[in-house]
C-alpha cells in the first residue's frame, strides 16, 4: 500500500521537501526578538512512540470488507491506521509530536470505484461501523478525526484509488473527475485536453476533488475562477440509502438546489465519488505583480472598489501591515531596505502589500484587464513595486505548509483561522479577532490578509505565531481559537473555506439557526438512518 499514501504525509508536507524544510537562522532570531524565547524543539514522534489502540473491527465486518475490496485493501497495521488518523491542523501536528492523544481508525479501507464505495457503506451500515471519508487528509478543522461516536468501530475510507478522469465534454466545458484525484493530478489530466480547473488552494498539492467539494474550498485564484462550489455542475454521491446523482443542467428552477446538500456536506451526508466540473482553457499568459497601499483601510477600500467594478484580478491578495512587515523582514536584504526608503519617499508609511495576478488567453487580453485593475489602484495611491514580487509570491505560494512544519519543529505555536464578513463589518471584525487572540496569547504576531473578495464583502485570513506553551500546548491554542470564534460569531461566518468539522460544529447553530440544524439533521436521517457517516462532524 505504500505507493498509495506516503507515510511521510503525516510528518511533513511533501516527501521531497518535508525533511529539508528549515528556517533560516536569521528568521528564527527575528522571531525570538518579536515573540520571546520559543518552546523546545519538537520533532515528529516515531510511530512506535504514539499510542495506537488495538482495532475493534468485528471479524465478520472485516471479512465482508475484504471480500468486497480485496484483503490487500483493508489495512489494519498500526502505521497505516496512524497515517489516516486526523488531519493537518496545528493541534493535529503537535499531537503527532507526542503532546496528547488522538483517535485512530480501526481499519483503513481503499475501494476502487463508486460501486465499491456504495457497497462499503452498505456493509458498514449492516455492522454498525462508522465511516470517515478520507481524501488528502488536509482538513484543518478535525474533519477527518477518526471519531467512533456511538458506533461499534470506525474505518477511514481512503479514496485515493478513485483517481480517474471519467470524461471530458469540450463543447460544454465539463469534466467528470473521481473523488480521489489530487489538485496537480486533476490539472495534469485536464491539460491533455487543453483545460484547467483554476483551483489552487494552498493545500493544492495534497487535497482532492472530493475533499474540495465536501468542504466548499476556495482557491487562491477564486476572484477569477470562482470558489470550488462555483465550478461544480454535478455530483455522484454514495449514501447508506443508495446512490444519489445530482446536476442535470447548467441552471435549474426545479426546486431548491440539492447539489448543495452534497457540496459542503463534509462526509456527513454521503461519500462523493465523482464530481462534474466546469473547466476553463489552460491560460496562455500569466502576469503577477506587487503593489503597496498605505494602510489597511485604503487597501480594503481599493479591493472593494475593484470587486464592485468587476475588475478584480484573478488573484487578489491584500496583506495587512503586520503580514507585510513579516514578509519584508524575512526578505531583509539591500533590496528591501531600498524598497522601504522608496515607499517612505512616496508617502507610504504603513505598507500593505497587494499581490495581483491575471491569467488569460493572450497578452492583449491580460494587458486590457490589467489596465482596468491598475487604473482603480492608482486612484487609491497604490505604488507599483513590480513583477518580481508577484512572481516570487506565485513561485512560493505552496511553501507555507513546509514553513509551518519547520516552525512547529522549532517550538512555535503557528496556526491560521479564517472568516468572511460584509464590507461594513470587515475592519471591526479584524480588530475584534486580533484583540481576542492577543488577550489569550499575550506576546504574539497576528497577521491578516484578504484573499477572496466579493462585491458585498471579503474573507479575513489570520496567521498567528507565538511561543509554544510548554506546559499546555493543546490548551494554549484551544483557548485562543475559542476566543477568536466568539469574536466572530454573529458578525462573520465561522468558516469561509476551512469548513465546520469538529472544531466549528459548536458554532454552527448560531450561524444557521436551530431550524437550519434540524433541517440538516432531517436530511442526515434520510440518507444515513443509522448515522454511520463521519460521526461528530458538521452536526
Ligand atoms: C497548509 C494548508 C493550507 C490550506 N489551504 C487551503 C486553501 O487555500 N483553501 C481551502 O479551501 N482550504 C485550504 N486548506 C484546508 C483543506 O485543504 C481543504 O479543506 C480541502 O478542501 C480538503 O481536501 P482533502 O482532500 O484534503 O479532504 P480531507 O481533509 O481528506 O477531508 C476534508 C473533509 O471532507 C470529507 N471528505 C473528503 N473527501 C470526501 C468525499 N469524497 N466525499 C465526502 N466527504 C469527503 C472528510 O471526511 C472531511 O470531513 C488548507 C489546509 C492546509 C493543511
Amino acid at each position: 500500500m505504500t505507493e498509495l499514501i506516503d507515510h511521510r504525509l503525516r510528518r511533513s508536507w511533501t516527501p521531497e521537501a518535508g525533511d529539508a524544510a528549515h528556517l533560516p537562522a536569521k528568521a528564527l532570531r527575528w522571531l525570538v526578538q518579536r515573540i520571546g524565547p520559543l518552546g523546545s524543539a519538537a520533532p515528529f514522534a516515531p510511530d512506535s512512540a504514539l499510542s495506537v489502540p488495538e482495532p475493534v473491527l468485528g471479524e465478520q465486518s472485516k471479512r465482508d470488507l475484504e471480500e468486497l475490496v480485496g484483503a490487500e485493501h483493508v489495512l489494519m497495521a498500526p502505521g497505516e491506521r496512524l497515517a489516516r488518523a486526523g488531519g493537518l491542523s496545528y493541534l493535529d501536528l503537535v499531537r503527532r509530536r507526542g503532546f496528547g492523544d488522538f483517535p485512530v481508525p480501526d481499519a483503513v479501507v481503499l475501494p476502487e470505484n463508486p460501486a465499491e464505495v456504495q457497497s462499503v457503506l452498505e456493509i458498514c451500515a449492516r455492522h454498525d461501523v462508522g465511516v470517515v471519508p478520507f481524501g488528502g487528509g488536509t482538513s484543518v478543522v478535525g474533519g477527518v478525526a477518526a471519531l467512533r461516536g456511538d458506533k461499534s468501530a470506525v474505518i477511514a475510507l481512503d479514496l485515493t484509488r478513485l483517481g480517474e478522469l471519467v470524461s471530458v465534454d469540450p463543447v460544454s466545458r465539463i469534466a467528470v473527475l473521481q473523488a480521489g484525484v489530487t489538485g496537480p493530478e486533476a490539472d495534469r489530466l485536464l491539460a491533455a485536453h487543453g483545460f484547467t480547473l483554476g483551483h489552487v488552494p494552498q493545500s493544492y498539492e495534497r487535497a482532492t476533488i472530493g475533499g474540495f467539494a465536501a468542504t466548499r474550498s476556495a482557491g487562491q485564484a477564486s476572484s477569477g475562477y470562482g470558489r470550488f462550489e462555483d465550478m461544480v455542475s454535478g455530483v455522484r454521491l454514495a449514501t447508506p440509502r443508495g446512490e444519489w446523482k445530482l446536476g442535470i443542467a447548467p441552471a435549474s428552477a426545479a426546486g431548491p438546489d440539492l447539489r448543495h446538500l452534497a457540496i459542503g456536506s463534509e462526509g456527513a451526508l454521503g461519500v462523493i465519488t465523482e464530481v462534474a466540473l466546469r473547466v476553463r482553457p489552460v491560460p496562455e499568459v500569466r502576469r503577477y505583480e506587487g503593489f503597496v497601499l498605505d494602510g489597511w483601510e485604503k487597501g480594503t477600500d481599493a479591493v472593494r472598489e475593484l470587486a464592485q467594478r468587476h475588475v478584480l484580478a484573478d488573484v487578489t491578495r491584500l496583506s495587512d501591515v503586520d503580514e507585510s512587515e513579516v514578509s519584508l523582514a524575512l526578505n531583509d536584504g539591500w533590496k528591501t531596505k531600498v524598497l522601504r526608503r522608496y515607499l517612505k519617499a512616496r508617502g507610504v508609511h504603513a505598507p500593505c502589500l497587494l499581490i495581483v495576478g491575471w491569467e488569460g488567453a493572450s497578452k492583449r487580453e491580460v494587458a486590457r484587464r490589467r489596465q482596468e485593475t491598475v487604473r482603480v489602484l492608482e486612484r487609491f495611491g497604490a505604488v507599483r513595486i513590480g513583477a518580481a514580487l508577484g512572481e516570487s509570491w506565485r513561485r512560493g505560494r505552496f511553501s507555507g505548509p513546509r514553513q509551518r512544519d519547520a516552525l512547529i519543529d522549532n517550538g512555535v505555536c503557528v496556526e491560521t483561522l479564517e472568516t468572511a464578513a460584509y464590507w461594513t463589518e470587515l475592519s471591526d471584525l479584524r480588530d475584534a479577532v486580533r484583540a481576542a487572540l492577543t488577550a489569550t496569547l499575550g506576546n504574539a504576531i497576528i497577521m491578516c490578509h484578504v484573499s477572496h473578495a466579493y462585491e458585498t464583502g471579503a474573507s479575513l485570513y489570520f496567521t498567528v505565531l507565538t511561543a509554544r506553551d510548554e506546559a499546555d500546548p493543546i490548551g494554549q491554542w484551544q483557548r485562543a481559537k475559542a476566543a477568536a470564534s466568539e469574536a466572530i460569531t454573529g458578525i462573520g461566518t465561522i468558516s469561509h473555506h476551512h469548513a465546520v468539522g469538529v472544531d466549528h460544529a459548536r458554532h454552527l447553530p448560531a450561524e444557521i439557526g436551530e431550524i437550519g440544524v434540524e433541517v440538516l439533521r432531517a436530511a442526515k436521517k434520510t440518507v444515513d438512518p443509522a448515522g454511520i457517516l463521519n460521526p461528530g462532524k458538521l452536526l
Side-chain angles (χ1 to χ4, degrees):
M1 262 332 98
T2 41
E3 79 278 13
L4 292 178
I5 185 164
D6 192 309
H7 287 229
R8 283 172 294 183
L9 161 62
R10 302 292 102 198
R11 298 196 177 82
S12 64
W13 187 247
T14 63
E16 309 80 48
D19 293 335
H22 74 283
L23 287 170
K26 182 180 76 177
L28 280 173
R29 278 197 304 275
W30 182 85
L31 263 177
V32 174
Q33 270 170 22
R34 281 289 306 264
I35 59 176
L38 309 181
S40 58
F44 267 97
D47 284 1
S48 57
L50 298 170
S51 112
V52 185
E54 281 300 306
V56 297
L57 186 68
E59 267 312 308
Q60 189 59 49
S61 319
K62 182 167 177 267
R63 262 198 306 278
D64 287 357
L65 288 167
E66 285 179 346
E67 211 166 281
L68 175 71
V69 297
E72 70 280 23
H73 297 125
V74 179
L75 313 178
M76 311 281 286
E80 302 287 2
R81 291 161 53 218
L82 267 176
R84 283 80 162 188
L88 294 176
S89 68
Y90 170 70
L91 293 184
D92 288 321
L93 295 173
V94 288
R95 286 185 179 116
R96 287 186 175 274
R97 287 162 163 89
F99 299 101
D101 285 338
F102 48 89
V104 179
D106 294 297
V108 178
V109 178
L110 293 115
E112 190 185 17
N113 53 48
E116 282 192 2
V117 173
Q118 183 59 45
S119 301
V120 169
L121 294 191
E122 283 158 18
I123 292 171
C124 289
R126 212 160 54 234
H127 294 293
D128 194 41
V129 172
V131 177
V132 179
F134 193 99
T138 64
S139 171
V140 284
V141 291
V144 287
L147 301 179
R148 196 178 289 161
D150 61 356
K151 304 292 115 191
S152 64
V154 64
I155 61 160
L157 184 69
D158 188 323
L159 295 152
T160 322
R161 293 175 73 213
L162 274 76
E164 282 179 20
L165 170 61
V166 179
S167 63
V168 179
D169 171 352
V171 178
S172 305
R173 290 194 178 168
I174 289 178
V176 178
L177 282 155
Q178 287 191 328
V181 177
T182 61
E185 189 56 8
D187 278 333
R188 191 188 66 76
L189 291 166
L190 291 171
H193 300 267
F195 292 114
T196 181
L197 279 179
H199 186 67
V200 278
Q202 202 186 41
S203 53
Y204 173 77
E205 291 164 308
R206 289 271 185 214
T208 60
I209 295 297
F212 294 146
T215 59
R216 301 190 102 91
S217 171
Q220 292 164 337
S222 69
S223 300
Y225 291 92
R227 292 165 62 91
F228 197 75
E229 72 211 52
D230 304 327
M231 302 172 194
V232 175
S233 73
V235 284
R236 183 172 175 186
L237 194 72
T239 82
R241 282 282 307 281
E243 196 171 69
W244 195 11
K245 288 187 186 171
L246 288 159
I248 196 171
S252 163
D257 190 345
L258 292 180
R259 287 174 308 176
H260 288 276
L261 275 183
I263 304 168
S265 60
E266 302 185 34
L269 299 178
V271 181
I272 296 163
T273 53
E274 289 178 0
V275 188
L277 291 155
R278 173 203 79 197
V279 290
R280 297 230 169 117
V282 175
E284 297 289 332
V285 180
R286 290 192 171 89
R287 180 163 179 160
Y288 281 70
E289 279 178 54
F291 287 80
V292 173
L293 287 120
D294 191 20
W296 173 255
E297 294 303 332
K298 206 171 263 178
T300 47
D301 284 351
V303 173
R304 175 167 51 84
E305 184 79 2
L306 291 172
Q308 292 176 345
R309 285 182 176 266
H310 306 285
V311 291
L312 278 168
D314 298 320
V315 170
T316 304
R317 187 184 196 278
L318 174 75
S319 296
D320 71 357
V321 173
D322 295 87
E323 192 171 274
S324 305
E325 193 201 327
V326 171
S327 305
L328 293 175
L330 295 181
N331 286 318
D332 201 17
W334 64 268
K335 280 190 193 152
T336 313
K337 286 194 185 108
V338 172
L339 176 63
R340 282 182 201 277
R341 273 205 296 276
Y342 172 67
L343 289 174
K344 248 190 206 136
R346 296 282 307 263
V348 177
H349 301 288
C352 286
L353 293 177
L354 175 74
I355 301 294
V356 271
W358 302 265
E359 305 195 343
S362 65
K363 274 192 178 159
R364 182 186 293 206
E365 181 201 322
V366 167
R368 178 187 53 76
R369 291 188 53 215
R370 177 182 177 275
Q371 197 182 33
E372 288 170 349
T373 310
V374 171
R375 215 175 269 150
V376 172
L377 289 177
E378 281 169 351
R379 289 217 325 269
F380 287 85
V383 177
R384 179 170 183 265
I385 46 176
L389 186 80
E391 269 308 312
S392 124
W393 176 84
R394 192 174 77 84
R395 275 195 309 276
R397 65 183 171 174
F398 304 127
S399 64
R402 295 182 188 106
Q403 281 162 1
R404 188 171 72 138
D405 285 344
L407 283 164
I408 301 174
D409 286 348
N410 282 284
V412 180
C413 165
V414 47
E415 184 54 306
T416 61
L417 60 95
E418 41 83 57
T419 177
Y422 295 118
W423 289 114
T424 348
E425 323 274 11
L426 201 70
S427 288
D428 287 349
L429 181 56
R430 173 177 161 273
D431 292 346
V433 172
R434 286 175 59 86
L437 290 167
T438 307
T440 41
L441 292 171
N443 203 0
I445 299 172
I446 301 163
M447 304 178 268
C448 183
H449 67 248
V450 163
S451 47
H452 308 278
Y454 309 92
E455 281 177 81
T456 51
S459 66
L460 291 173
Y461 189 94
F462 297 87
T463 305
V464 183
L465 292 129
T466 191
R468 194 183 60 238
D469 178 345
E470 292 289 290
D472 185 14
I474 304 271
Q476 176 188 28
W477 179 250
Q478 282 175 333
R479 283 188 294 278
K481 171 77 184 188
S485 299
E486 285 307 318
I488 288 169
T489 300
I491 304 172
T493 173
I494 197 63
S495 175
H496 170 265
H497 59 264
H498 282 168
V500 176
V502 175
D503 297 1
H504 296 142
R506 185 161 73 83
H507 298 277
L508 192 62
E511 183 152 339
I512 65 170
E514 289 301 335
I515 295 179
V517 173
E518 274 177 42
V519 167
L520 284 181
R521 285 214 178 102
K524 183 163 174 76
K525 191 108 198 115
T526 304
V527 293
D528 179 24
I532 60 164
L533 287 170
N534 220 359
K537 320 300 157 38
L538 185 64
L539 286 163

